[in-house]
C-alpha cells in the first residue's frame, strides 16, 4: 500500500510538472532574467545578477464572460526574437535611442498571447488580444511579489478617504514620496505610478507602464498580501455629471462592473520593471518611450518645442507699469514683449481668458482681444498657447481645434482631467490626435504620468503628473519639501517621461525661510537649484514660472534660462543617489550642459567629465554663492576653462545646485 501511494504521488508530480511549461528569457547582456511558468497559473519572476528581486506571482486577465487568461492555459506556441536598432526620438532627451532586447511571445487558445521583453535595464510584459469580437475585461491581475520586507519610495493618492478606492480614483496624480518598508505603508491608500522599491544589495526596481491607450491606468496597493504590491484599476464609468473645478470636470456617479471595453484586436499596456543596483541606471532608462507605439504623425516639421513665458504662477504680477495687471490685453502684450526680447518661443494664456464656469472655449472675456494678441505676438516671433479646462475642450474638441488653429494659436494646455479610467485615457489619445490634425501642440496638465503618448503623438510635448512648483504657492512649510522631492524625481517620476514642473523662480528660500505666498510665491532651495532644474528635468515645453519684472532684474539668470534648449541630442545622468543628489549632462549640437542639485545637505562632489574626451572646453558656471546657505538667491557666475580630463570639483549649498555650460 505504501509503495502504491508513493507511486500515485510520483505520477501526480509528473503530471503537474508536465502541465507546467517553463521558459527563461535573458537580457542581451545576460545580467537580467525572467523565468516564466504557464499552466495552472501564468507567473514570472525577475532575477538580477543571480539575485531574485521579484518572486514568481500570478498575472492574468479576467473577462466579463468568466474566461480568465493565464489560468489553466497551455501555450500553443512560443516564439523568440532579438532586436537591436535605433529609434528616432526628436522631441525628447536624445535625438535617437538604442532599442536592444530579447523577446518571447507565448500564444494560447482563445486568440490571445502574452509578450515578454528583456532589456539590459528592465523586464516588461503585456497581454495581446487577436479577437475580432467585442468583449469586456472584468479585471487584470498584476502582482509584484518580494522575498522580504523591501523599502518603498512611493507616491500615494493624496485625495479621497482611506479604504475608499472610489474616492481616491478622482485625483491629480500629485504627491511627494513616502519612504517606508512595504509592511509600514498605508494599506488603505492607492499608490500611483511610477513607484520604486529597493531590495537587498542596493537593487532598485522602478515600476511604471506605457502604451496606455484606451485602457485604465494601473495603481498599486499593499492590501492583498505580505511583501506584495498588487494592481488596482478604476472600473469603466457608467454615469457622469459635470462639476468639479469651475464646472470643467466630469465626476463619476456610478461605474460598470468591468474595467475596460475591447472592440477588436489590440495590445494592452506594457507593465515595466526597471532594475539596477546603480541609481543612475534607473534614471537613464528609456523603456517608457521605447515600448510605446511608434509615431502616428507623418510630418513633424511643424512641431516646435520651446520655452513659455507663463503668467499664472506669478499672478500676472508685473510691476513698474501704468496699467492694472491681470487678464487683459496690456498685461499679455507685456508678456509677449518680454518673450520677444529674450527669444522665448511662447506665451501662455492660462485660466481666465475664456468666460468662467461656462465650459465654452468660444466665449472669450471682453478684456481680451485674442486675434489682436496673436497678431501682436507673431510680429515678435512669439506663439500663443491657450489653457483649456478638460470638459470645455472635450465637448467641442474639433470645432475648438479648427477655430483656434485657423486663428493662429500654436497649441493647448488642457487641464483638470484628474482621472485615468479607460474613458479618460481614451480622451488623451483623441485630444492628441485632434491637435495633430490641426497642427497644434498639446500640454496635458492635471493628468497621470506620461505613458508613451509623447512617442505616438510627438506633438504632445509635456505632462503634469508631478508635485511641481505650483505647490509652493500654498503648501504648509511643515509639509512641503521640494528640495528632497526634486532629488527623487529623476529616478522615479521622470522614468516615465517629461514633466510640466514649471521651474524658474527668482524668489528663492532656505529651508527655514520658506513660506507660502499665493501672489508672490517663492521656491525652496537656492537660485542655482532652480537654474539646474532646466538641465535635470525633462521638459520639451518648458515654463518660465516667474514674472517678467523679476526676470529683468536678474539679467544673467534670465539670459541662461532663455537660451537653454528644451530638447536634446544626448542625455546622461552621470552621478547621483536617490533622495540625496543628482548630476545630469545633456548635449545640444557641440554644447554640453551639466546640472546638479542636492538635498538639504550641503556637499562637495567631483564631477567626472571624462566622457567629453579629455579636451579643454570653455565653461560658463553658475554656482551657489558663499552665503547661499542663509540667502538662497546668492549665486556666482564665472567664465573659465575646464579640463575635462580632470574631475570638476563643485560645492552645493544646502538645497543648492549648479550649472556648467561647456563649448
Amino acid at each position: 500500500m505504501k509503495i502504491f501511494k508513493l507511486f500515485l504521488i510520483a505520477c501526480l508530480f509528473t503530471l503537474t510538472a508536465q502541465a507546467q511549461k517553463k521558459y527563461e528569457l535573458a537580457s542581451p547582456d545576460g545580467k537580467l532574467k525572467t523565468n516564466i511558468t504557464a499552466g495552472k497559473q501564468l507567473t514570472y519572476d525577475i532575477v538580477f545578477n543571480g539575485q531574485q528581486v521579484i518572486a514568481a506571482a500570478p498575472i492574468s486577465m479576467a473577462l466579463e464572460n468568466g474566461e480568465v487568461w493565464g489560468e489553466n492555459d497551455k501555450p500553443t506556441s512560443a516564439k523568440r526574437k532579438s532586436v537591436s536598432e535605433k529609434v528616432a526620438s526628436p522631441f525628447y532627451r536624445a535625438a535617437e535611442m538604442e532599442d536592444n532586447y530579447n523577446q518571447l511571445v507565448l500564444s494560447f487558445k482563445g486568440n490571445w498571447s502574452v509578450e515578454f521583453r528583456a532589456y539590459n535595464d528592465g523586464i516588461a510584459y503585456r497581454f495581446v488580444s487577436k479577437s475580432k469580437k467585442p468583449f469586456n475585461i472584468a479585471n487584470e491581475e498584476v502582482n509584484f511579489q518580494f522575498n522580504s520586507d523591501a523599502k518603498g519610495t512611493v507616491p500615494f493618492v493624496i485625495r479621497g478617504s482611506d479604504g475608499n478606492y472610489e474616492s481616491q480614483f478622482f485625483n491629480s496624480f500629485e504627491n511627494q514620496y513616502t519612504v517606508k518598508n512595504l509592511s509600514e505603508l498605508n494599506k488603505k491608500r492607492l499608490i500611483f505610478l511610477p513607484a520604486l522599491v529597493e531590495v537587498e544589495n542596493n537593487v532598485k526596481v522602478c515600476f511604471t507602464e506605457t502604451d496606455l491607450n484606451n485602457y485604465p491606468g494601473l495603481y498599486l496597493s499593499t492590501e492583498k498580501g505580505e511583501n506584495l504590491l498588487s494592481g488596482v484599476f478604476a472600473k469603466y464609468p457608467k454615469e457622469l455629471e459635470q462639476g468639479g473645478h469651475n464646472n470643467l470636470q466630469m465626476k463619476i456617479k456610478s461605474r460598470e462592473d468591468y474595467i475596460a471595453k475591447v472592440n477588436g484586436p489590440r495590445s494592452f499596456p506594457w507593465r515595466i520593471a526597471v532594475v539596477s543596483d546603480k541609481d543612475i541606471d534607473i534614471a537613464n532608462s528609456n523603456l517608457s518611450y521605447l515600448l510605446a507605439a511608434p509615431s502616428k504623425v507623418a510630418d513633424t516639421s511643424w512641431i516646435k518645442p520651446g520655452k513659455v513665458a507663463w503668467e499664472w504662477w506669478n499672478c500676472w504680477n508685473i510691476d513698474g507699469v501704468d496699467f492694472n495687471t491681470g487678464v487683459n490685453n496690456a498685461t499679455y502684450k507685456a508678456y509677449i514683449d518680454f518673450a520677444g526680447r529674450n527669444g522665448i518661443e511662447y506665451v501662455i494664456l492660462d485660466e481666465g481668458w475664456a468666460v468662467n464656469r461656462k465650459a465654452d472655449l468660444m466665449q472669450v472675456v471682453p478684456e481680451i482681444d485674442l486675434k489682436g494678441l496673436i497678431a501682436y505676438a507673431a510680429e515678435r516671433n512669439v506663439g500663443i498657447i491657450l489653457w483649456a479646462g478638460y470638459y470645455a475642450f472635450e465637448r467641442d474638441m474639433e470645432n475648438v481645434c479648427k477655430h483656434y488653429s485657423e486663428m493662429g494659436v500654436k497649441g493647448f494646455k488642457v487641464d483638470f482631467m484628474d482621472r485615468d479610467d479607460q474613458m479618460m485615457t481614451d480622451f488623451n489619445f483623441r485630444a492628441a490626435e485632434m491637435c495633430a490634425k490641426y497642427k497644434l501642440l498639446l500640454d496635458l496638465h492635471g493628468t497621470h504620468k506620461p505613458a508613451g503618448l509623447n512617442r505616438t503623438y510627438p506633438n504632445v510635448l509635456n505632462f503634469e503628473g508631478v508635485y511641481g512648483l505650483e505647490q509652493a504657492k500654498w503648501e504648509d512649510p511643515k509639509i512641503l519639501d521640494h528640495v528632497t522631492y526634486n532629488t527623487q524625481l529623476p529616478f522615479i517620476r521622470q522614468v516615465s517621461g517629461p514633466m510640466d514642473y514649471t521651474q524658474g523662480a527668482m524668489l528663492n528660500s532656505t529651508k527655514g525661510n520658506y513660506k507660502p505666498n499665493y501672489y508672490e510665491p517663492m521656491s525652496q532651495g537656492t537660485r542655482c537649484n532652480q537654474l539646474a532644474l532646466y538641465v535635470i528635468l525633462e521638459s520639451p515645453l518648458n515654463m518660465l514660472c516667474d514674472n517678467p519684472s523679476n526676470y529683468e532684474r536678474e539679467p544673467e539668470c534670465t539670459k541662461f534660462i532663455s537660451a537653454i534648449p528644451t530638447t536634446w541630442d544626448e542625455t546622461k545622468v552621470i552621478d547621483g543617489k536617490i533622495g540625496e543628489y543628482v548630476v545630469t549632462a545633456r548635449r545640444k549640437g557641440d554644447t554640453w550642459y551639466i546640472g546638479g542639485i542636492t538635498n538639504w545637505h550641503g556637499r562637495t562632489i567631483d564631477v567626472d567629465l571624462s566622457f567629453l574626451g579629455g579636451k579643454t572646453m570653455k565653461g560658463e558656471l553658475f554656482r551657489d554663492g558663499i552665503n547661499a546657505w542663509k540667502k538662497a538667491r546668492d549665486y556666482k557666475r564665472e567664465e573659465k576653462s575646464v579640463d575635462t580630463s580632470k574631475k570638476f570639483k563643485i560645492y552645493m549649498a544646502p538645497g543648492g545646485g549648479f550649472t556648467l555650460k561647456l563649448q
Side-chain angles (χ1 to χ4, degrees):
M1 181 61 73
K2 184 181 289 186
I3 294 173
F4 181 68
K5 286 182 178 178
L6 289 171
F7 176 75
L8 283 177
I9 293 170
C11 288
L12 288 170
F13 179 82
T14 301
L15 289 170
T16 302
Q18 289 175 342
Q20 297 283 101
K21 291 284 188 178
K22 296 184 178 182
Y23 308 86
E24 182 183 273
L25 182 67
S27 60
D29 65 5
K31 294 180 180 180
L32 199 57
K33 297 180 181 180
T34 178
N35 299 288
I36 303 149
T37 300
K40 184 178 181 181
Q41 292 181 319
L42 178 62
T43 71
Y44 81 106
D45 72 355
I46 298 178
V47 178
F48 176 73
N49 283 336
Q51 174 187 342
Q52 189 183 59
V53 296
I54 302 289
I59 57 173
S60 66
M61 190 166 279
L63 279 53
E64 195 180 33
N65 65 4
E67 183 180 354
V68 180
W69 297 349
E71 288 187 2
N72 299 310
D73 286 305
K74 184 179 179 181
T76 57
S77 70
K79 296 181 179 180
R80 296 176 182 269
K81 73 173 182 179
S82 298
V83 171
S84 182
E85 60 186 14
K86 299 289 186 180
V87 170
S89 50
F91 306 111
Y92 194 33
R93 57 165 49 186
E96 61 179 17
M97 297 177 179
E98 184 176 332
D99 198 15
N100 185 17
Y101 61 87
N102 294 323
Q103 178 174 282
L104 171 67
V105 179
L106 301 178
S107 298
F108 298 83
K109 293 180 180 179
N111 285 324
W112 69 275
S113 60
V114 62
E115 300 179 2
F116 290 88
R117 288 187 188 177
Y119 289 80
N120 291 341
D121 58 339
I123 300 290
Y125 77 89
R126 68 175 176 183
F127 288 91
V128 177
S129 172
K130 297 178 182 178
S131 176
K132 296 179 181 180
K133 297 180 179 179
F135 63 93
N136 297 331
I137 298 172
N139 196 29
E140 180 184 349
E141 183 181 27
V142 179
N143 290 302
F144 302 114
Q145 181 70 61
F146 300 90
N147 291 311
S148 60
D149 192 11
K151 183 174 75 175
T153 304
V154 304
F156 282 114
V157 170
I158 203 167
R159 298 181 188 170
S161 304
D162 279 8
N164 185 339
Y165 286 174
E166 180 57 40
S167 69
Q168 295 177 42
F169 287 140
F170 188 76
N171 79 93
S172 60
F173 307 92
E174 298 169 290
N175 202 356
Q176 298 172 105
Y177 294 108
T178 297
V179 183
K180 290 183 178 180
N181 285 352
L182 297 182
S183 63
E184 299 173 318
L185 295 176
N186 191 337
K187 298 183 182 300
K188 297 181 178 182
R189 298 207 68 80
L190 294 173
I191 297 163
F192 59 89
L193 300 180
L196 183 137
V197 175
E198 180 180 347
V199 299
E200 294 88 356
N201 300 316
N202 198 45
V203 178
K204 312 289 198 312
V205 188
C206 184
F207 300 103
T208 192
E209 62 182 341
T210 198
D211 206 22
L212 183 60
N213 177 6
N214 194 20
Y215 194 82
L218 171 66
Y219 297 88
L220 298 175
S221 168
T222 58
E223 185 179 28
K224 291 186 177 181
E226 186 176 356
N227 307 325
L228 175 69
L229 289 171
S230 57
V232 179
F233 298 88
K235 292 185 180 296
Y236 193 87
K238 183 178 183 178
E239 296 177 282
L240 300 94
E241 62 179 3
Q242 186 182 353
H245 177 77
N246 287 334
N247 281 331
L248 292 171
Q249 297 177 283
M250 295 298 287
K251 305 190 80 172
I252 309 299
K253 292 182 67 177
S254 64
R255 295 186 185 270
E256 304 285 1
D257 290 331
Y258 50 84
I259 66 170
K261 299 177 181 180
V262 180
N263 296 314
R266 63 160 297 171
S267 57
F268 297 97
W270 288 99
R271 312 292 172 216
I272 302 173
V274 181
V275 184
S276 183
D277 58 355
K278 296 180 177 63
D279 291 13
I280 62 172
D281 290 348
I282 304 291
N284 280 314
S285 177
N286 297 317
L287 294 188
S288 182
Y289 190 93
L290 292 170
L291 287 161
S295 175
K296 294 181 179 292
V297 183
D299 175 22
T300 61
S301 61
W302 56 271
I303 301 173
K304 305 295 185 185
K307 291 171 290 294
V308 185
W310 182 42
E311 25 66 303
W312 180 85
W313 190 80
N314 59 75
C315 290
W316 303 262
N317 240 339
I318 308 170
D319 58 72
V321 295
D322 58 1
F323 56 85
N324 288 322
T325 59
V327 182
N328 55 53
N329 270 16
T331 301
Y332 281 114
K333 284 183 176 181
Y335 276 83
I336 292 167
D337 289 340
F338 165 72
R341 286 193 302 271
N342 290 280
I344 296 166
E345 292 86 351
Y346 300 101
V347 167
I348 192 167
L349 275 62
D350 213 286
E351 187 173 15
W353 68 270
V355 176
N356 193 26
R357 300 187 69 81
K358 297 293 185 181
D360 184 356
L361 295 174
M362 296 302 186
Q363 297 190 41
V364 181
V365 297
E367 295 84 358
I368 294 289
D369 172 15
L370 194 53
K371 284 186 179 179
L373 284 178
I374 293 169
Y376 187 85
E379 291 172 355
R380 290 152 181 80
N381 294 315
V382 176
I384 296 295
I385 294 173
L386 298 177
W387 183 95
Y390 154 68
Y391 184 60
F393 193 78
E394 158 77 318
R395 71 190 300 191
D396 197 20
M397 191 187 299
E398 181 150 23
N399 188 36
V400 164
C401 288
K402 184 176 186 296
H403 175 75
Y404 286 110
S405 177
E406 291 174 348
M407 192 181 289
V409 167
K410 301 302 181 181
F412 282 95
K413 172 185 174 181
V414 183
D415 202 352
F416 286 104
M417 285 72 86
D418 286 358
R419 299 176 7 233
D420 66 347
D421 49 60
Q422 184 183 27
M423 187 178 289
M424 190 57 77
T425 60
D426 181 56
F427 161 78
N428 285 350
F429 265 75
R430 289 186 294 105
E433 182 180 38
M434 190 65 70
C435 284
K437 179 179 178 180
Y438 291 99
K439 292 182 168 55
L440 293 165
L441 305 177
L442 185 58
D443 176 6
L444 289 170
H445 217 66
T447 193
H448 56 80
K449 81 284 176 191
L453 186 57
N454 54 312
R455 181 181 179 187
T456 311
Y457 285 97
N459 59 307
V460 186
L461 291 179
N462 220 340
F463 305 75
E464 192 180 23
V466 63
Y467 198 77
L469 195 66
E470 68 177 18
Q471 305 294 331
K473 286 171 70 73
W474 52 69
E475 191 61 90
D476 189 325
K478 296 178 181 178
I479 296 174
L480 184 69
D481 186 356
H482 265 152
V483 165
T484 300
Y485 179 71
N486 294 346
T487 61
Q488 298 165 320
L489 281 179
F491 308 95
I492 306 175
R493 164 60 180 83
Q494 196 159 270
V495 172
S496 67
M499 64 185 80
D500 200 7
Y501 182 95
T502 68
Q503 64 269 32
M506 293 294 103
L507 300 178
N508 317 109
S509 71
T510 61
K511 190 173 188 178
N513 288 340
Y514 163 75
K515 59 182 179 182
N517 189 324
Y518 193 87
Y519 294 100
E520 292 189 87
M522 64 184 68
S523 71
Q524 291 184 330
T526 70
R527 171 69 55 79
C528 288
N529 185 290
Q530 283 290 296
L531 297 181
L533 293 179
Y534 284 96
V535 181
I536 290 167
L537 302 183
E538 315 282 1
S539 195
L541 191 68
N542 211 344
M543 306 288 170
L544 280 75
C545 69
D546 221 318
N547 66 67
S549 301
N550 284 347
Y551 284 124
E552 288 175 340
R553 281 187 280 267
E554 302 283 352
E556 288 184 335
C557 296
T558 301
K559 183 180 179 181
F560 172 82
I561 295 171
S562 299
I564 195 168
T566 64
T567 59
W568 306 90
D569 296 324
E570 189 176 355
T571 294
K572 303 173 181 283
V573 180
I574 58 176
D575 195 10
K577 185 173 177 57
I578 297 171
E580 296 186 14
Y581 72 101
V582 62
V583 181
T584 299
R586 298 185 190 267
R587 179 180 63 84
K588 192 72 170 183
D590 295 327
T591 303
W592 281 90
Y593 290 80
I594 319 294
I597 57 173
T598 183
N599 58 14
W600 290 115
H601 297 283
R603 71 184 73 235
T604 298
I605 60 171
D606 292 315
V607 183
D608 187 353
L609 300 176
S610 60
F611 64 91
L612 297 175
K615 55 188 174 182
T616 298
M617 304 179 75
K618 179 182 177 182
E620 180 187 21
L621 174 67
F622 285 83
R623 61 174 176 85
D624 293 323
I626 194 169
N627 293 304
W629 65 275
K630 60 180 178 179
K631 187 173 183 177
R633 285 174 284 175
D634 186 29
Y635 75 92
K636 181 74 171 177
R637 178 186 174 273
E638 300 174 355
E639 294 183 1
K640 60 196 305 178
S641 294
V642 178
D643 183 354
T644 63
S645 67
K646 301 177 181 178
K647 291 185 177 181
F648 183 80
K649 187 179 291 293
I650 187 76
Y651 173 74
M652 294 182 285
F658 76 94
T659 65
L660 177 62
K661 179 182 178 182
L662 294 172
Q663 293 176 296

